Amino acid sequence: MSTLIWIAVALVVIAVYLSWTAGRLDRLHSRLDAARAALDAQLLRRASVAQELATAGVLDPAASIVLYQAAHAARQAEEEHREVAESELSQALRAVFEDSAQAEAVREAPGGEEALGELTESVRRVPMARRFHNDAVRAARALRRHRMVRWFRLAGHAPFPLAFEMDDEPPAALARVPGTEEAER
């Protein structure tokens, strides 16, 4: 009789552990979905601001074309090509704003200060959003690798989380734009 009680207690403990682990995995997947949505929003914002700046007529024609094409490609990219398109937009931004002369020309144009500030803000937020997303991916992957999670299929049919790897280094001319230091404080 006592053996049956111990077996029942062990089964209850295992069931509670599995339930707790499944809940934790579900919360991690929810966090991952929220982080991905935030990353998508920041990438879309960056591409939109870059596209607006490219069509505003404040950049030289060659820079406008390069920036517009990269921003358009980033906005229209399918999911499997998105990382490459976003990296190409980062490279285009660095090429256009390689020196501070282009940033100064934009700043001197009517409405240029606001446009440059918005671009700088969006360029700075992308690496943070990507870092949060990749941290959530790392945590979900670590939990999904546990034996109990695999044996009892606690992840269900949720796809295995993938990190978003891209070149997100900001242009040097946008790293420190005058007037944005006050917003950081």
Side-chain angles (χ1 to χ4, degrees), residues 57-72:
V58 295
L59 298 173
D60 64 78
S64 292
I65 290 171
V66 167
L67 194 57
Y68 180 83
Q69 287 177 342
H72 182 71

Side-chain angles (χ1 to χ4, degrees), residues 13-152:
V13 167
I14 290 171
V16 167
Y17 173 75
L18 290 175
S19 175
W20 177 79
T21 304
R24 182 171 168 223
L25 190 58
D26 186 50
R27 287 188 302 275
L28 280 173
H29 281 149
S30 295
R31 181 177 141 207
L32 183 61
D33 290 343
R36 181 58 188 230
L39 176 61
D40 286 341
Q42 291 304 323
L43 291 171
L44 181 63
R45 181 173 183 233
R46 180 181 76 152
S48 297
V49 171
Q51 203 168 18
E52 285 177 25
L53 190 60
T55 58
V58 295
L59 298 173
D60 64 78
S64 292
I65 290 171
V66 167
L67 194 57
Y68 180 83
Q69 287 177 342
H72 182 71
R75 289 183 71 181
Q76 301 298 319
E78 293 180 17
E79 195 60 38
E80 58 270 2
H81 303 293
R82 183 120 188 246
E83 293 173 348
V84 173
E86 295 294 345
S87 293
E88 288 173 354
L89 177 56
S90 294
Q91 292 166 2
L93 284 166
R94 279 197 307 273
V96 170
F97 294 103
E98 154 176 48
D99 60 0
S100 58
Q102 190 73 269
E104 288 300 320
V106 171
R107 187 175 296 109
E108 292 169 0
E113 186 73 39
E114 294 82 24
L116 199 60
E118 193 173 343
L119 181 63
T120 300
E121 186 178 323
S122 67
V123 164
R124 287 184 185 175
R125 287 184 178 188
V126 166
M128 288 186 290
R130 190 175 73 85
R131 201 170 310 124
F132 287 137
H133 175 265
N134 289 349
D135 287 346
V137 166
R138 231 180 271 86
R141 281 181 169 183
L143 185 58
R144 287 181 69 156
R145 283 191 192 113
H146 288 165
R147 237 179 283 161
M148 295 292 259
V149 172
R150 288 192 323 259
W151 286 350
F152 289 99

